[in-house]
Amino acid sequence: MKSISVLLTAFAANCAVATAHHPLGSLHARDGAMQIPTISKPIFNQPTYQGCFSDSGDLKLNTTRKNTNTMMDFGHGPELDSGVTSGLCYKWCAKDLEKNVFALSAGSQCWCGDDYPVNSSMVSIKNCNIPCSGYGLEYCGGSKAWMVYNTGNDLTVTNLPEVSSTTAAPSSTAPPKTSSTSSTVSEPTPEITESTLPEEPEKKGKSNTAGIVAGTVVSVVVVLSAVGGVFLYMRRKRNKEIEDEHRRNAAVNAFIGKPPSTSDGMSMADARLDPVLVQRRLSDGSIADNQDYSRRILRVTNA
């Protein structure tokens, strides 16, 4: 009896070690042979394989461990890098992060999320052919391929919507719609073009005419302004000349002592026209004043 209990204890320990390396209930394995997972329905609190996908969908990379057997910091303090297994990835995603989906890729990557990738990205299990870095008898995805598992937290997880299929559907129905609309629109199209084409030249002609008229008006205003400026300048210049002439005549008249006489804006001061100056003797004693020298006198003398 004692030997039987020892054997049972050893068997339980081996099962615990195996559970840490691969999920139970989703693998068909033989001793010394690679464990090939098979797709099965989700089971509560147990990881179940859902397929190999060529797209990660909305899954996020949780950690990359290459079994270096060294102490490394993966975000939670120093840990021993013992590689990646399906059991460890299940623990990290389902227990630590409480995610509904986990996936293995490239042999050393663990991904976590809440939805399966799009169903159209599912590929053959042959694409997920890289052994796990922490347990060489099971596969951990492939190069650009993800082995996706349900963690058992939610049994109703679904695939992401097919974006490509929804965009392809309208494109398949688009040709008949365009053909029908083109047949109906083709008739009024020439009428619209005929009505719009003549209006464009008229608008252009109106805009050109308005521009010409505006330019002409501006040029006329500029010319008239220039002529008016020249006229005002000449008038001011003439008035200034008259004022200067008047000041000079006034100065001369003031010097002589007579008020200025004006005639057409011009001052004239001639002593011969002034009777006072005519009767005034300009000099005394130099010339005989008792003779009239204004006319020649014929004198007869005896030779």
Side-chain angles (χ1 to χ4, degrees):
M1 293 294 294
K2 185 177 181 179
S3 60
I4 293 174
S5 63
V6 171
L7 291 175
L8 291 175
T9 303
F11 178 75
N14 291 332
C15 290
V17 172
T19 303
H21 290 292
H22 61 81
L24 299 177
S26 62
L27 301 177
H28 290 171
R30 294 182 301 173
D31 294 338
M34 293 297 296
Q35 300 173 358
I36 308 299
T38 57
I39 299 176
S40 60
K41 293 182 178 181
I43 301 175
F44 184 70
N45 282 338
Q46 290 188 17
T48 51
Y49 176 69
Q50 300 301 316
C52 180
F53 293 82
S54 61
D55 184 16
S56 62
D58 62 354
L59 299 175
K60 304 298 181 182
L61 179 62
N62 177 265
T63 186
T64 300
R65 306 191 182 192
K66 298 183 179 180
N67 196 10
T68 60
N69 287 321
T70 58
M71 298 299 294
M72 301 182 67
D73 189 357
F74 298 101
H76 304 284
E79 298 181 47
L80 179 65
D81 181 14
S82 59
V84 170
T85 64
S86 60
L88 291 175
C89 189
Y90 166 72
K91 174 183 176 298
W92 296 328
C93 295
K95 304 302 181 181
D96 297 343
L97 301 179
E98 297 183 354
K99 294 295 183 179
N100 300 327
V101 178
F102 75 93
L104 302 167
S105 179
S108 60
Q109 296 178 356
C110 174
W111 298 63
C112 305
D114 292 311
D115 297 296
Y116 304 139
V118 292
N119 192 31
S120 60
S121 64
M122 181 179 290
V123 294
S124 172
I125 188 64
K126 296 180 180 179
N127 295 287
C128 295
N129 55 3
I130 299 179
C132 295
S133 60
Y135 185 65
L137 294 182
E138 69 172 341
Y139 293 114
C140 283
S143 177
K144 296 182 180 180
W146 289 260
M147 297 182 69
V148 178
Y149 293 82
N150 186 301
T151 61
N153 293 339
D154 185 0
L155 306 184
T156 61
V157 178
T158 59
N159 297 86
L160 291 175
E162 297 284 346
V163 178
S164 59
S165 63
T166 55
T167 55
S171 62
S172 61
T173 58
K177 289 183 180 180
T178 52
S179 62
S180 61
T181 54
S182 62
S183 61
T184 56
V185 177
S186 59
E187 296 180 356
T189 300
E191 298 179 359
I192 294 173
T193 54
E194 290 176 0
S195 60
T196 55
L197 286 176
E199 293 179 358
E200 294 180 356
E202 291 179 1
K203 293 180 180 179
K204 293 181 179 179
K206 292 180 180 178
S207 60
N208 294 334
T209 304
I212 293 172
V213 171
T216 303
V217 171
V218 171
S219 60
V220 170
V221 171
V222 171
V223 171
L224 292 177
S225 301
V227 172
V230 172
F231 175 76
L232 293 176
Y233 173 74
M234 295 299 295
R235 184 175 180 181
R236 289 189 62 184
K237 184 177 179 182
R238 176 61 179 168
N239 291 337
K240 188 176 181 181
E241 291 177 354
I242 294 173
E243 291 177 0
D244 293 342
E245 183 67 20
H246 179 72
R247 289 192 186 97
R248 286 195 297 268
N249 294 334
V252 172
N253 293 331
F255 179 76
I256 295 173
K258 292 294 181 177
S261 60
T262 58
S263 176
D264 297 334
M266 298 297 292
S267 62
M268 297 293 293
D270 193 349
R272 292 175 298 176
L273 300 178
D274 192 349
V276 178
L277 293 177
V278 171
Q279 296 177 1
R280 183 180 178 183
R281 296 175 62 182
L282 298 179
S283 63
D284 294 331
S286 61
I287 299 176
D289 295 332
N290 54 358
Q291 293 183 6
D292 187 5
Y293 292 95
S294 62
R295 294 179 299 173
R296 288 186 178 184
I297 301 173
L298 180 62
R299 294 182 179 180
V300 180
T301 60
N302 295 321

